[in-house]
Amino acid sequence: SPAADASSGSGALSPFDRRLKRKQKNWAALQAEPAKCDYLREEVGAVAGGPGWAPLARRLTFPIALDVGSGRGYIAQHLTKETVEKLIQVDIAENALKNTVESEIPTFSVVADEEFLPFKEDTFDLVLSSLSLHWVNDLPRAFREIHRVLKPDGVFIGAMFGGDTLYELRCSLQLAELEREGGFSPHVSPFTAVSDLGQLLSRAGFNTLTVDTDEIQVNYPGLFEVMEDLQGKYVLCGNILYIKLMFYVPLAFFLLSLPALPEMYGNSDGSVPATFQIYYMIGWKFHESQARPAQRGSATVSLGDLAKIDGLLSRGKK
């Protein structure tokens, strides 16, 4: 099928092998302590699904919502009956959906790819996504799919890893490879730049956009612990063009990176940091009732008058 071909990752335009990514996520969901490496998704899910976005949503209740790339339900556990009446959770890994955390709202699980949502147009009042979209091969298509299934005046609230994620690890690996090979190849997943995110959302049809960035820094005892934790998070990947089931970094480069990471970025207590940049985004689907920007050239007050505002206010009081 076209969906399977586009998600296979076998071509140059598909940096991720979605079939292997599905196996990897299923494997991670069956580990003895699946929540051990999920603290990032827990924290970001609390922001995406917590009370902080409710004033922006402009509504008290969403009858039906969709969580794209839900995993084990990192957003659902923070939603309440007062905000969402029913939630559909979508993920490519059936094992993750079988082990979802408890939620007070009714939830339903659907195994599907984020790039090919199996829902009719204008279905959902709210679409959520937390730390999943950085794994899709066609991000513009994923945004268009989200826009398609939203009802008019529906809102999309999402979070994904940003371009500065793991810059300490990337720099240390590149330095080690430069010293040994005279060049380097990427060993970390490609990420979207924040300058492109607004354009991608706008081209997908969203308006009234809000894009914000945040950074979460995690400190580890050493490089071995960094790599072990990233393996559990399935953040690191072996090749930018064809992701392997497990990350692959040549042993020689890894050993050369051991002193480079703490020397370049190490903390005073001997720990080494790993920075995760998070993009938060909000976009609305157009509806006639939404406020529109004034027509260009229709302003009656010049911005230059702002410098005189204090004098005008004082004169008004007199």
Side-chain angles (χ1 to χ4, degrees):
S1 68
D5 293 339
S7 299
S8 65
S10 58
L13 297 179
S14 300
F16 304 115
D17 187 325
R18 295 289 288 176
R19 293 190 181 98
L20 290 181
K21 175 49 58 182
R22 178 182 179 183
K23 292 180 180 178
Q24 189 182 43
K25 295 183 72 174
N26 276 324
W27 167 84
L30 291 179
Q31 298 309 296
E33 298 180 72
K36 182 178 179 181
C37 298
D38 285 348
Y39 54 88
L40 269 182
R41 298 200 68 176
E42 293 279 359
E43 182 169 344
V44 176
V47 176
W53 58 264
L56 298 174
R58 301 187 305 178
R59 301 176 184 174
L60 294 178
T61 304
F62 295 93
I64 181 169
L66 173 68
D67 184 357
V68 178
S70 63
R72 297 176 55 249
Y74 306 99
I75 292 180
Q77 61 185 319
H78 300 288
L79 299 176
T80 65
K81 295 179 180 178
E82 288 73 27
T83 55
V84 173
E85 295 179 358
K86 181 169 66 174
L87 178 69
I88 309 298
Q89 296 176 303
V90 168
D91 201 277
I92 61 172
E94 58 271 22
N95 289 340
L97 294 174
K98 292 176 182 177
N99 294 280
T100 54
V101 296
E102 293 185 3
S103 173
E104 69 173 63
I105 62 174
T107 59
F108 304 88
S109 299
V110 177
V111 180
D113 193 297
E114 293 93 334
E115 296 179 35
F116 304 91
L117 298 176
F119 305 105
K120 294 181 179 180
E121 187 175 354
D122 303 339
T123 298
F124 299 98
D125 303 280
L126 167 69
V127 176
L128 301 162
S129 182
S130 178
L131 299 187
S132 173
L133 293 176
H134 63 285
W135 280 123
V136 302
N137 282 317
D138 192 343
L139 186 58
R141 180 188 178 92
F143 283 153
R144 290 195 300 270
E145 281 288 279
I146 292 172
H147 184 271
R148 179 183 64 82
V149 302
L150 269 176
K151 294 179 181 179
D153 202 31
V155 60
F156 166 56
I157 301 175
M160 62 185 294
F161 284 120
D164 288 338
T165 296
L166 299 176
Y167 72 86
E168 302 96 341
L169 178 62
R170 282 186 288 177
C171 289
S172 61
L173 289 172
Q174 289 171 3
L175 178 61
E177 197 165 359
L178 277 170
E179 291 180 356
R180 185 177 178 87
E181 299 291 329
F184 63 87
S185 58
H187 294 288
V188 176
S189 309
F191 297 109
T192 303
V194 67
S195 58
D196 298 329
L197 192 55
Q199 296 181 13
L200 291 175
L201 289 167
S202 179
R203 288 171 57 186
F206 292 100
N207 58 43
T208 319
L209 299 175
T210 301
V211 178
D212 197 8
T213 66
D214 190 17
E215 287 188 355
I216 300 175
Q217 187 179 89
V218 182
N219 296 310
Y220 296 89
L223 185 56
F224 283 102
E225 289 78 11
V226 176
M227 304 294 270
E228 181 182 5
D229 194 41
L230 293 179
Q231 177 184 342
K233 288 187 183 69
Y234 42 84
V235 171
L236 202 67
C237 74
N239 189 286
I240 200 170
L241 294 179
Y242 194 79
I243 181 172
K244 305 300 180 184
L245 181 59
M246 303 293 286
F247 67 82
Y248 169 72
V249 178
L251 180 59
F253 304 151
F254 180 78
L255 295 177
L256 286 171
S257 301
L258 287 176
L261 184 58
E263 183 177 340
M264 296 171 63
Y265 302 104
N267 299 314
S268 58
D269 61 358
S271 62
V272 293
T275 299
F276 298 89
Q277 185 181 38
I278 312 296
Y279 297 157
Y280 294 99
M281 65 202 92
I282 300 176
W284 296 82
K285 188 170 182 176
F286 175 76
H287 188 267
E288 291 291 339
S289 64
Q290 293 176 349
R292 303 183 187 182
Q295 186 177 359
R296 187 178 180 88
S298 62
T300 57
V301 178
S302 171
L303 290 176
D305 294 336
L306 292 177
K308 309 172 186 177
I309 190 67
D310 291 336
L312 294 174
L313 291 174
S314 300
R315 191 181 307 171
K317 290 179 180 180
K318 292 180 181 180

